[in-house]
Amino acid sequence: YSSYFTFLMYHHQQTLLNQLKEVTGTTDIQLLQQALQVSNGDLAEAVAFLTEKNAKAPQQDETTYYQTSQVPSDRYISVGSQADTNVIDLTGDDKDDLQRAIALSLEESSRAFRETGITDEEQAISRVLEASIAENKASLKRTHTEVWSDSPNPHDRKRIDGCPVGLKNVGNTCWFSAVIQSLFHLLEFQRLVLNYSPPARVLDLPRNQKEHRNLPFMQELRNLFSLMVGSKRKYVDPSRAVEILKDAFKSSESQQQDVSEFTHKLLDWLEDAFQMKAEEDSVGEKPKNPMVELFYGRFLAVGILEGKKFENTEMFGQYPLQVNGFKDLHECLEAAMIEGEIESLHSAENSARSGQEHWFTELPPVLTFELSRFEFNQALGRPEKIHSKLEFSSVLYMDRYMDRNREITRIKREEIRRLKEHLTLLQQRLERYLSYGSGPKRFPLADVLQYAMEFASSKPVCTSPVEDIDTSAPPGGTTGQQLPSPSTAEQDALPPAESLGPTSAPSTAPSVAQQQRVPVHKPFTHSRLRPDLPMHPAPRHITEEELRVLEGCLHRWRSEVENDTCDLQGSISRIHRSIDLMYSDKSMMQVPYRLHAVLVHEGQANAGHYWAYIYDPHQCCWMKYNDISVTKSSWEELVRDSFGGYRNASAYCLMYINDKKPFLIEEEFDKETGQILSGMDKLPPDLKRYVIEDNELFDKEVEEWDAMQARKAQQEKLDLASAAAASTAASSTSTSSSSPQPMSIESSPPDNAAPQQDPEYMEQPSPTNDFKHLQEDTERAISRAVAAAAAAEQDRSPEALLNTAIKLEYARLVRFAQEDTPPEIDYRLQHIIVYFIQNEAPKKILERTLLTQFADRNLAFDERCKSIMKVARAKLDLITPEEVNMDAYEMWHQDYRNFRETTIFMVTGLELFQKSNYVEALVYLIYSHQYNKELLLKGPYRGHDEDLLTYYRRECLLKLNEQAAAMFESGEEPEVTSGLSIMNELVVPCIPLLLAQDTEKDLLAVEDMRNRWCSYLGQEMEANLQEKLTDFLPKLLDCSTEIKSFHDPPNLPSYSTLELCERFSRIMSALGRVSSSGR
């Protein structure tokens, strides 16, 4: 045991050293050991010590500050960061040196782009962005990760049957949620934690500090896991376990913990806790720690150190992998398994080279890879995130890294090395065809030949290109060689008129005062050809014989070049395929590991958010665990968020499980009944009691809430009845002179009085008001009913006529509801009953609404209509609350009011958009989209086309972004201020709405807007513009989906139904003329 303890101490020290290397970028082993010795093993103090050391040392050159030198004995440093030996002296006056330097720079940029998919410009932009964001860290904090506020309604926090439980974020603890959820859904790990019992000797009093800390944490973790198994809550509070961990980290609540650091600490504590239990249970045997058996493996280090061969067996837990410079997980692993000059390991010569190979001798059931996506920028004194793309698969075969396959893997590696050398030669040859030329600008050779052919074939011209220029146009201008004036450049920088809104005036010719003023430097102006110049230059003189010979040669050469290019590309594709299939034989696919969880980090090195994707083998789908939110996901969404290179989100940790050990994710069976244990049956008695008590507390909270809501509803009903009674008394006093009716509205009970205050779209005080058409429809139905009764010689009593009129009106509205109409016609706007029918409103709601229509007092223009109106009102009085649920009745009518308001918002927004008034249009489109989304949650026919509103909301934001960017590019102070004001007040607050929508087009739109502004970082500009840009970018790049404050909804004018239908028809017809591809 002492040797095992010594090994654990050594392993712990190596872990600290590796963490220090990763955080600080320092590779000097003696310096790292000195830092640990000075800090007594405290990681934070050691980092501070090394940072102070680095600050005193001379800073590196700016172009190489992100690189680290490679030491053969260090397996965790960045791979591939080699110094460039092609040094060109630019201090002299030799212009050839400058040209060669530019060409070399372009070649290196092209090579880096081919290898990583990230250009040097993008890397530089990323570094500048991180510098800017670090300086503006206060504005970047994710407001919703500070403290969650629970919904007061416990029904909102009630767990849906079968849905996994989320974890509440109790203050920047998304890291805790991501890791704990990943481990909890390893059912073997879950069983170990739930069934853990502390050693008997420490039940009374822990004997040392480690036991005093680890055992309470284990109990809190057991409690947390038990709630995640059997709680009735949608999410649970992990505060107690988090607080114990935070004390160990010695950090404030406002700091975001690193997933790697936390996972190391968590597994160390679990290992210690289970070790104590294992020592107590083992009698005369070597104790077996289940945490070690689950998460730790072994590898054999084989190598040469200063000419001497060695072999060492080492234990590993979470395996660190460098990301920078690699395209997929296998490339990372290959680089991690080989260090230094390794050729001599399997050569007969006694070489003095040093290097080593790693071969796995024993893989753990749970194989965890730490992806090192942060590197320390020594020049800036802070870590930076690596955003490059790294692919990984759902199934990983580890055979090529196993010690038993050492010889065959070496053979295959040698074959791959030979193929890659051949591939490099072919790619270099192909590059000469695709990037032809001797200067900094190069083009595909086939295109160069095509351009030459087009030039030769152009119609010859007999005049000089400068002879036909009107030299008298610009006053004070020069003849001969003309330079563009500042005003021309300004005009080129302006965007099209339609993108600037109605306030922008068309460009006019520059005045004399404008030409004489001092030109303002505008860094974003693009040079353009004058529109009156010919599209292509042409030869002065060329004979038919010359043209024939030249065309023949150019055609033949272009054909040869295209064939050579095709052959090279085919050979390159075949080599790529050979490399990809090198390990595809069955003998190298015997150790499968399946992806279990992916931990994702979104943000920058100093701020961000964590969540996890975890595979559910029972539902055969991926689940996304984002704090309290647990939702179904997909492999496509996981790839988009985890691979990197697309957004500032990428995988930080990968958890694979041995696919041949199903017990890791299988449910436990009852030994007596053979049934699967699920839910509360999984829990030991003490945890079952704990969960039952918590569920009883939650049930009590639900009961208290329901009782309180019932009391509120009763009180509101009493208040409504009192108000209705007062209104009825006043109405009775004013109509006392009229003849009394036994079933009139005035004599109705208080409970039935309130509904008589009909909605504005059902009754109006005068037939000349907005809804005159409703009265006309009613009178038309009555006339048809009278005609039908006369034709059939039926009863013509007011009640019989009312019944017939209602049936006829209902049949008419049903036809409208069932009619297939074009987009510009929506019968729901014309009548509420159509809306109710399409949304399957209850029959009683329909009947009462139709009765209300015929009970309109405005019908009393003749005795027949007056008698029918009185019968309808009497029938309304007879309807009891038991027959029609008045709460449901009012809810349906309120939904229709909301539908009309949403329509007005939508129509107004689309009209303003059509007029290019994007600033005002945005507010209407935002609220129409939000209200429409709420309506559609109740049914597909409750609102309007969501895709249409989503499209125009997105387009309006893109137009505003273009408008603001054009203002910023102008360089004029008022324009710049106005442009940034548009972004800060309108565009930036709406970006979380697009991110929350999480559709591909919305996410691409956000990326387009961000990229437009990020592109300015690589351009020269005045200091005040740079300052404004630096201040603005962190707000634009905030990755939070927390909805920020926005403008209050505008007050809507009152529109009649006819007016609203006409406006709706006009705008939808106008949109219909836009091509479908445009939308």
Side-chain angles (χ1 to χ4, degrees), residues 329-345:
L329 189 60
H330 276 300
E331 284 193 4
C332 296
L333 276 166
E334 289 282 355
M337 303 298 280
I338 301 176
E339 298 178 5
E341 300 290 343
I342 205 64
E343 291 86 351
S344 58
L345 291 177

mmCIF file of all heavy atoms in Angstrom, residues 329-345:
data_model
loop_
_atom_site.group_PDB
_atom_site.id
_atom_site.type_symbol
_atom_site.label_atom_id
_atom_site.label_comp_id
_atom_site.label_asym_id
_atom_site.label_seq_id
_atom_site.Cartn_x
_atom_site.Cartn_y
_atom_site.Cartn_z
ATOM 1 N N LEU A 329 -9.871 13.970 -33.636
ATOM 2 C CA LEU A 329 -9.443 13.381 -32.373
ATOM 3 C C LEU A 329 -8.303 12.398 -32.559
ATOM 4 O O LEU A 329 -7.395 12.321 -31.719
ATOM 5 C CB LEU A 329 -10.641 12.699 -31.707
ATOM 6 C CG LEU A 329 -10.446 12.206 -30.276
ATOM 7 C CD1 LEU A 329 -10.098 13.362 -29.346
ATOM 8 C CD2 LEU A 329 -11.700 11.500 -29.778
ATOM 9 N N HIS A 330 -8.302 11.642 -33.653
ATOM 10 C CA HIS A 330 -7.233 10.671 -33.877
ATOM 11 C C HIS A 330 -5.884 11.381 -34.076
ATOM 12 O O HIS A 330 -4.850 10.883 -33.604
ATOM 13 C CB HIS A 330 -7.550 9.796 -35.089
ATOM 14 C CG HIS A 330 -8.437 8.633 -34.760
ATOM 15 N ND1 HIS A 330 -8.085 7.665 -33.844
ATOM 16 C CD2 HIS A 330 -9.673 8.286 -35.230
ATOM 17 C CE1 HIS A 330 -9.052 6.764 -33.758
ATOM 18 N NE2 HIS A 330 -10.025 7.115 -34.583
ATOM 19 N N GLU A 331 -5.882 12.502 -34.759
ATOM 20 C CA GLU A 331 -4.628 13.246 -34.918
ATOM 21 C C GLU A 331 -4.117 13.722 -33.558
ATOM 22 O O GLU A 331 -2.907 13.696 -33.301
ATOM 23 C CB GLU A 331 -4.837 14.433 -35.855
ATOM 24 C CG GLU A 331 -4.918 14.060 -37.325
ATOM 25 C CD GLU A 331 -4.803 15.277 -38.233
ATOM 26 O OE1 GLU A 331 -4.594 16.394 -37.710
ATOM 27 O OE2 GLU A 331 -4.908 15.109 -39.460
ATOM 28 N N CYS A 332 -5.017 14.168 -32.695
ATOM 29 C CA CYS A 332 -4.613 14.578 -31.342
ATOM 30 C C CYS A 332 -3.992 13.402 -30.587
ATOM 31 O O CYS A 332 -2.955 13.545 -29.926
ATOM 32 C CB CYS A 332 -5.814 15.112 -30.561
ATOM 33 S SG CYS A 332 -6.559 16.597 -31.224
ATOM 34 N N LEU A 333 -4.638 12.251 -30.664
ATOM 35 C CA LEU A 333 -4.134 11.072 -29.957
ATOM 36 C C LEU A 333 -2.786 10.622 -30.513
ATOM 37 O O LEU A 333 -1.877 10.260 -29.747
ATOM 38 C CB LEU A 333 -5.149 9.936 -30.060
ATOM 39 C CG LEU A 333 -6.280 9.959 -29.024
ATOM 40 C CD1 LEU A 333 -7.397 9.016 -29.432
ATOM 41 C CD2 LEU A 333 -5.741 9.586 -27.649
ATOM 42 N N GLU A 334 -2.640 10.619 -31.831
ATOM 43 C CA GLU A 334 -1.368 10.220 -32.433
ATOM 44 C C GLU A 334 -0.242 11.130 -31.937
ATOM 45 O O GLU A 334 0.857 10.657 -31.619
ATOM 46 C CB GLU A 334 -1.477 10.297 -33.964
ATOM 47 C CG GLU A 334 -2.351 9.231 -34.593
ATOM 48 C CD GLU A 334 -1.657 7.883 -34.686
ATOM 49 O OE1 GLU A 334 -0.461 7.806 -34.353
ATOM 50 O OE2 GLU A 334 -2.316 6.907 -35.082
ATOM 51 N N ALA A 335 -0.512 12.426 -31.876
ATOM 52 C CA ALA A 335 0.525 13.357 -31.413
ATOM 53 C C ALA A 335 0.825 13.149 -29.941
ATOM 54 O O ALA A 335 1.974 13.281 -29.505
ATOM 55 C CB ALA A 335 0.074 14.799 -31.665
ATOM 56 N N ALA A 336 -0.200 12.828 -29.146
ATOM 57 C CA ALA A 336 0.013 12.635 -27.710
ATOM 58 C C ALA A 336 0.751 11.334 -27.402
ATOM 59 O O ALA A 336 1.408 11.213 -26.373
ATOM 60 C CB ALA A 336 -1.331 12.640 -26.979
ATOM 61 N N MET A 337 0.657 10.359 -28.312
ATOM 62 C CA MET A 337 1.284 9.059 -28.054
ATOM 63 C C MET A 337 2.744 9.007 -28.470
ATOM 64 O O MET A 337 3.450 8.052 -28.143
ATOM 65 C CB MET A 337 0.520 7.956 -28.805
ATOM 66 C CG MET A 337 -0.955 7.874 -28.475
ATOM 67 S SD MET A 337 -1.286 7.500 -26.758
ATOM 68 C CE MET A 337 -1.034 5.741 -26.747
ATOM 69 N N ILE A 338 3.213 10.013 -29.204
ATOM 70 C CA ILE A 338 4.606 10.032 -29.667
ATOM 71 C C ILE A 338 5.229 11.356 -29.282
ATOM 72 O O ILE A 338 4.658 12.415 -29.549
ATOM 73 C CB ILE A 338 4.705 9.835 -31.191
ATOM 74 C CG1 ILE A 338 4.085 8.494 -31.601
ATOM 75 C CG2 ILE A 338 6.140 9.915 -31.661
ATOM 76 C CD1 ILE A 338 4.070 8.268 -33.097
ATOM 77 N N GLU A 339 6.376 11.311 -28.678
ATOM 78 C CA GLU A 339 7.080 12.528 -28.291
ATOM 79 C C GLU A 339 8.502 12.479 -28.807
ATOM 80 O O GLU A 339 9.172 11.454 -28.734
ATOM 81 C CB GLU A 339 7.122 12.664 -26.761
ATOM 82 C CG GLU A 339 5.750 12.782 -26.117
ATOM 83 C CD GLU A 339 5.849 12.853 -24.615
ATOM 84 O OE1 GLU A 339 6.987 12.907 -24.109
ATOM 85 O OE2 GLU A 339 4.812 12.846 -23.945
ATOM 86 N N GLY A 340 8.959 13.606 -29.300
ATOM 87 C CA GLY A 340 10.367 13.734 -29.671
ATOM 88 C C GLY A 340 10.729 12.964 -30.918
ATOM 89 O O GLY A 340 9.899 12.574 -31.734
ATOM 90 N N GLU A 341 12.044 12.733 -31.099
ATOM 91 C CA GLU A 341 12.570 11.992 -32.260
ATOM 92 C C GLU A 341 12.448 10.512 -31.970
ATOM 93 O O GLU A 341 13.239 9.935 -31.229
ATOM 94 C CB GLU A 341 14.040 12.379 -32.500
ATOM 95 C CG GLU A 341 14.255 13.850 -32.774
ATOM 96 C CD GLU A 341 13.710 14.246 -34.128
ATOM 97 O OE1 GLU A 341 13.470 13.350 -34.942
ATOM 98 O OE2 GLU A 341 13.517 15.453 -34.360
ATOM 99 N N ILE A 342 11.451 9.877 -32.556
ATOM 100 C CA ILE A 342 11.128 8.517 -32.155
ATOM 101 C C ILE A 342 11.670 7.460 -33.108
ATOM 102 O O ILE A 342 11.592 6.267 -32.844
ATOM 103 C CB ILE A 342 9.589 8.392 -32.040
ATOM 104 C CG1 ILE A 342 9.194 7.264 -31.070
ATOM 105 C CG2 ILE A 342 8.942 8.176 -33.397
ATOM 106 C CD1 ILE A 342 9.626 7.506 -29.656
ATOM 107 N N GLU A 343 12.260 7.882 -34.248
ATOM 108 C CA GLU A 343 12.687 6.893 -35.230
ATOM 109 C C GLU A 343 13.681 5.890 -34.642
ATOM 110 O O GLU A 343 13.698 4.720 -34.998
ATOM 111 C CB GLU A 343 13.336 7.584 -36.445
ATOM 112 C CG GLU A 343 12.353 8.380 -37.290
ATOM 113 C CD GLU A 343 12.166 9.793 -36.774
ATOM 114 O OE1 GLU A 343 12.676 10.069 -35.673
ATOM 115 O OE2 GLU A 343 11.513 10.589 -37.462
ATOM 116 N N SER A 344 14.489 6.347 -33.713
ATOM 117 C CA SER A 344 15.559 5.485 -33.194
ATOM 118 C C SER A 344 15.031 4.384 -32.287
ATOM 119 O O SER A 344 15.737 3.449 -31.965
ATOM 120 C CB SER A 344 16.580 6.332 -32.419
ATOM 121 O OG SER A 344 15.919 7.015 -31.369
ATOM 122 N N LEU A 345 13.773 4.466 -31.865
ATOM 123 C CA LEU A 345 13.244 3.448 -30.958
ATOM 124 C C LEU A 345 13.187 2.081 -31.615
ATOM 125 O O LEU A 345 13.363 1.060 -30.973
ATOM 126 C CB LEU A 345 11.837 3.846 -30.480
ATOM 127 C CG LEU A 345 11.768 5.056 -29.533
ATOM 128 C CD1 LEU A 345 10.316 5.356 -29.217
ATOM 129 C CD2 LEU A 345 12.533 4.790 -28.266
#
